Amino acid sequence: MSVKRSRNVFEEEVKQNENRETDFNQKILSRLVELKPDINTSTKEKIQDLFSDIKEELLYFQNEIVDSLIDCATFLPHKQPIYATLIGLLNNEDYLIGKRIVEQVVEKLEEYLLSMEFHKSNVILRFLGELVGTSVLNPDSYLKLLKRLVLIKDAEYAPRSKKDTYCYLVLCSLLYNGIFLKDRDEILREILDNLGQYLHYRDKAYSKFLSSWRDENLPEDELTYLLQVVEELSNKDWDNPRLITSYSSFFRTIFNINELHEIENFKIPVDTKKKQIPYQSLKNFSKLKINFKDYKYGKEFGGEKENLEEESEEESLSEDENENENEKEKEKEKEKELENEINKETNEMFGEEKIEKKISIRSKSFKELNFLLKEKYQKTYLTFQPYFKLLSKSINESERQYEIIDIYPLQILIRELLNFYNDNPNLLTRIFQSLHNIVDFDENSCSRVILEIVFSEMFRLPTSEFQTIYYTRIITELIKKTIFPPILASLIDETFKLLNTFDPQNLYTFVEWFSIHISNFKFLWEWSYWDEILDQDKNSSKRRFVYQALDHCIRLSYYKRMKKLIPENMWFILPPDPVPNVKFQTMEKNEETLSTEEKTMYEYQRKGSMWSNELEPKLKKNVPPHEIAYWLDNEIVKKEGMEFALDVFMQTLLKVSYKTFTHTFTKIGKYLPFFEQVKHNVQNKQRIISSVFEFWTNSPLHTVTLIDKLISYRVIDNNSVISWIFSPENYNMFFDGTLWESLNLTISKTIHRTQTVRMALLKQQIKAIKLDRNLKNQKNLDNNNQDPLEIDINQDNSSQLQVEQQKINENQSSNLKINFNSKSNKKKKKIPYHDLVKIYNNVLKEQKEMFLNLFQCFFKLIKFHLESCDHALSEPFNNWYYVVTGGLAKIVRNYYPEIKDIVLYLDPIVPDENSKDYDPRLATIMKEIKHLIEYLSD
């Protein structure tokens, strides 16, 4: 009884200790988070009280305290001064604790630099500077670290983007912590001179491709601009009174400045010539389809299932489902050992590329909103566009004025918070609403800066960090507070005024954001504010913005509702009611009053109407495809030609099935055998595309969706779509967003197909390596267990491997659907490894041919435009030119990882100087495109 009682007492004590540890962790963490960095007596008392409580539990919970402090400093960067102060007090209490904290913070910095998480790297590096201010870290050691980061600019194999990123980290640290280092003026000047020299000779020709504005006098890029801010701060003796940098002045007497810690054994990631280049093209792995009205997902990511499931989620390679936990842990260790072998195998096929083993689309759930965030599947270095500025350089208020050196630290902080709290907008907005207490700003000015930074991140080029819907969510939460709506209205108005110089990619982003934003407020907006567009050309940027914004609003609601909400004098710019445009219908006209061209068109429509009326009942009755093909061939093709027959067939098919997408998709699926017979001719494919655009000319949504479905059914291909889009017949349609939506959808669908096959191939490689390893282990085990006399009788190991490999090909291969959008629940078709390799090579070749065709068609159209303008003696660099070249720039920015593989094949597209067809304007465009690809790929 006594033994049992003692055991129960021991277990009870263990439980009590565990509960006590949990309660302490929650209590301390909660108090750390609740602290606010205000300079006042109450804050000082709270810090002292918290320190007293921590000191009492330091002996028992040292690990938990240290980890909590570092985590809070990382994810609450606006409260770093508080946590640095607490660490200074702890260091004064116990020197070893301070040393341990410095070592862990340095390890975190190494980890984040290696994993290319530069927002966190920036925060951690700044926190080390805060520890200098609280007499924990030796300033000389910190400066030595900064000098080492700056010297990356001289590294032989470091890419330009890495040099830029590391310079940015150093400049941000100096902006925040230069005041703690001003006694080492010579070293600071040396660092700034090195940075200035690097940025002076750095190539900036790419800037106009990453600028949100089309302006001859571009502002400096963010990196150069930041250097100017730091230089200005240094001229003021590094004093920024509006920035609460530390509480060291409160506790100067208790900090022990004689015992400072050093940064030891810090390792910077090194680049070598044979560095593996991470794969970068998975950001378009899935289309985002959201019902913005209800803030819910579409049926699936893209509305339809593609040919493979997200197989990369199935990471476990274990074949025995009944393994116990110990065996599973051993299996995971073996998987880690396989990574080097997997990389070797994949490099043989894909070149020097490090393929991500796990690729998935992360979703975040909020209380009011579910949406997908655009994850960066491959970690990249930072890019720096020309400084985005909607407001004036300084914010002038009635009583106070804030210069850029006051504002810039706040801007950096806001960007980091946007990145860290993308999964919790409610918490993020609460933090934003209290930021004016951190830097000595009044609330109105701080709110203006917050909204401007949110706008700048949404308009960031080459691509924003997250989907537009994320920034929409943040702005929607912010304007619930009364101080934000007037500021937002002024930002919208300022952006609208600058639309004539806005980049086409950002113009579309502005359209997307604005339409979703006003949909949250019943589409109410004072459209009369923009009545200036009534007198402007229909292709002007401002008028196109209003037109496309109304079109997106109609997609989110309906036509009649939007017509009621806008003034009558603006009805004529309202997009047409999204109803079908029936091309072949019975009509009577007086031929005597028609011109020759009108007579030709009238005769074409009259014949088409006659055949369409005869074909319509056949399609309604679902007459078999072979009978339809036979009827078309005998009745129309022999008399009018295949192109006319296809036009009649497509127009009639769409007419009988236009009620819903389901009806249309079903009809197309029903007559796929007919399309199989006619799709081998390029002209036939383009006739099909043209018929879709003509029938749904009033509804861009229907047009884009049907083109997507026809590509999925392989009725048309990417090259036929691209060739049709860039044909001279569509010269005046490029101001409409429909062509660009269809083009981007076509490109992303092709890349999606390539990546899907690639992932299936990679999974088979992993399985093959796993099998080979198991066979080797089994052979070794058999050799150890067998009688030596029986070894010669066994089959040769190579033949055994062949048999097992054949089993893998037959039974364990990855699943691949030939029909990429099939919804069938049938068992997926399994394709042998070698056939999968052939499929991958084919889709990769198709992808490269698509981009080559894209550039060829683009330059043909640009050449046609330049020659037409020269013939008419008009200005070639007009609005049409900027829209089309801007659209291509958007494609290059979004798909440069795939385009860079064909750069060497682009030169023959444009005639060189020795050719009689040489045009320096075309050569300049090609040079700029290649320069942009080179910059983004570096």
Side-chain angles (χ1 to χ4, degrees), residues 295-345:
Y295 286 114
K296 296 179 180 179
Y297 288 117
K299 187 173 182 180
E300 297 174 17
F301 292 147
E304 304 288 344
K305 290 183 179 179
E306 294 295 336
N307 65 323
L308 283 179
E309 300 290 336
E310 302 291 339
E311 297 187 60
S312 53
E313 293 291 337
E314 302 172 4
E315 187 182 359
S316 175
L317 300 177
S318 175
E319 297 178 359
D320 186 3
E321 297 180 355
N322 298 321
E323 288 181 325
N324 56 36
E325 293 182 0
N326 293 331
E327 290 176 339
K328 287 183 179 180
E329 290 178 1
K330 293 179 181 178
E331 193 67 27
K332 290 180 180 179
E333 293 177 0
K334 291 180 180 180
E335 289 178 14
K336 293 180 180 179
E337 295 175 4
L338 282 174
E339 287 184 1
N340 292 332
E341 298 179 42
I342 294 171
N343 284 333
K344 291 179 182 179
E345 294 289 334

Side-chain angles (χ1 to χ4, degrees), residues 108-167:
K108 285 282 186 182
L109 179 59
E110 290 180 351
E111 176 187 340
Y112 292 145
L113 288 176
L114 187 61
S115 61
M116 302 176 72
E117 298 178 76
F118 295 113
H119 288 291
K120 294 180 181 177
S121 302
N122 195 11
V123 169
I124 288 294
L125 188 61
R126 291 209 313 269
F127 186 58
L128 285 173
E130 294 285 352
L131 295 180
V132 172
T134 55
S135 302
V136 176
L137 182 63
N138 189 333
D140 293 324
S141 182
Y142 184 64
L143 283 170
K144 183 179 178 181
L145 170 62
L146 296 183
K147 288 177 65 176
R148 288 186 61 192
L149 293 175
V150 171
L151 290 177
I152 291 294
K153 69 183 181 60
D154 300 322
E156 183 178 3
Y157 298 116
R160 176 213 43 78
S161 53
K162 179 176 181 178
K163 297 176 183 179
D164 287 358
T165 300
Y166 278 47
C167 289

Side-chain angles (χ1 to χ4, degrees), residues 295 369 371 390 418 425-426 428-429 432-433 447-459 467-489 491-492 495 509-510 512-514 516-518 520-521 525:
Y295 286 114
L369 169 64
F371 58 83
L390 281 177
L418 281 170
N426 291 327
L428 181 59
T429 51
F432 280 163
Q433 290 166 1
S447 302
R448 289 168 70 93
V449 176
I450 289 171
L451 280 178
E452 182 176 348
I453 295 304
V454 174
F455 263 58
S456 68
E457 290 301 299
M458 183 169 63
F459 293 137
Q467 294 279 9
T468 305
I469 185 65
Y470 169 60
Y471 303 104
T472 307
R473 174 63 166 150
I474 296 299
I475 294 172
T476 302
E477 286 295 319
L478 286 174
I479 62 175
K480 290 179 180 179
K481 192 172 183 179
T482 55
I483 195 171
F484 282 98
I487 301 172
L488 178 62
L491 282 176
I492 295 174
T495 306
T509 302
F510 190 36
E512 184 182 12
W513 169 79
F514 180 77
I516 301 171
H517 174 73
I518 65 173
N520 295 326
F521 303 97
W525 181 257

Side-chain angles (χ1 to χ4, degrees), residues 877-888:
F877 303 109
N878 52 18
N879 199 20
W880 184 95
Y881 174 85
Y882 288 119
V883 168
V884 175
T885 53
L888 182 70

Side-chain angles (χ1 to χ4, degrees), residues 625-825:
H626 68 276
E627 294 185 17
I628 295 292
Y630 180 80
W631 181 85
L632 288 172
D633 186 52
N634 287 290
E635 297 293 334
I636 304 180
V637 175
K638 292 180 179 180
K639 299 176 182 179
E640 305 294 340
M642 175 56 77
E643 187 173 349
F644 181 79
L646 270 178
D647 195 15
V648 172
F649 174 77
M650 283 300 300
Q651 291 286 338
T652 310
L653 184 143
L654 295 174
K655 180 181 177 182
V656 301
S657 62
Y658 78 90
K659 292 292 185 181
T660 66
F661 282 121
T662 303
H663 283 82
T664 305
F665 296 162
T666 303
K667 282 294 181 184
I668 293 175
K670 172 71 176 177
Y671 292 99
L672 279 180
F674 169 76
F675 287 114
E676 287 289 335
Q677 298 177 21
V678 301
K679 72 177 186 179
H680 302 292
N681 186 288
V682 177
Q683 286 75 21
N684 292 346
K685 294 178 184 178
Q686 294 191 359
R687 181 66 262 175
I688 293 172
I689 298 169
S690 182
S691 297
V692 173
F693 272 81
E694 289 172 356
F695 186 84
W696 284 113
T697 186
N698 296 329
S699 177
L701 179 61
H702 282 84
T703 302
V704 173
T705 305
L706 282 178
I707 292 296
D708 173 56
K709 178 58 68 173
L710 290 171
I711 293 175
S712 300
Y713 280 146
R714 313 294 279 179
V715 173
I716 57 178
D717 56 28
N718 46 42
N719 284 322
S720 61
V721 175
I722 291 171
S723 298
W724 183 86
I725 287 175
F726 285 99
S727 60
E729 291 77 11
N730 297 326
Y731 181 86
N732 293 320
M733 292 179 60
F734 282 93
F735 292 107
D736 187 7
T738 310
L739 287 182
W740 295 111
E741 285 187 64
S742 300
L743 180 60
N744 281 281
L745 187 61
T746 301
I747 295 173
S748 63
K749 202 168 191 69
T750 302
I751 294 174
H752 187 181
R753 183 180 295 114
T754 304
Q755 299 313 319
T756 308
V757 179
R758 183 192 184 98
M759 296 310 301
L761 189 59
L762 177 60
K763 187 178 180 183
Q764 280 208 8
Q765 287 181 315
I766 295 174
K767 288 185 177 181
I769 294 171
K770 172 69 177 179
L771 174 66
D772 183 64
R773 185 167 193 154
N774 288 343
L775 291 174
K776 289 179 180 178
N777 293 338
Q778 185 63 37
K779 179 184 175 183
N780 294 334
L781 182 62
D782 293 342
N783 289 342
N784 293 332
N785 295 334
Q786 283 179 337
D787 186 352
L789 296 177
E790 296 179 0
I791 294 178
D792 295 334
I793 302 177
N794 289 338
Q795 294 181 354
D796 182 69
N797 186 53
S798 61
S799 62
Q800 182 182 0
L801 281 173
Q802 292 176 3
V803 172
E804 295 294 338
Q805 184 62 48
Q806 183 177 359
K807 291 180 180 179
I808 274 289
N809 291 337
E810 294 177 355
N811 301 321
Q812 297 185 3
S813 63
S814 296
N815 299 323
L816 181 67
K817 296 181 185 177
I818 299 302
N819 183 355
F820 281 79
N821 280 317
S822 174
K823 292 186 178 181
S824 173
N825 292 324

Side-chain angles (χ1 to χ4, degrees), residues 547-580:
Y547 179 89
Q548 293 180 20
L550 288 171
D551 176 64
H552 279 66
C553 290
I554 291 172
R555 299 187 195 186
L556 297 171
S557 57
Y558 52 93
Y559 177 81
K560 290 183 179 180
R561 180 179 184 182
M562 293 308 303
K563 189 173 182 179
K564 292 179 181 179
L565 294 175
I566 67 172
E568 289 189 20
N569 64 336
M570 298 182 73
W571 280 1
F572 73 97
I573 66 169
L574 187 69
D577 193 3
V579 295

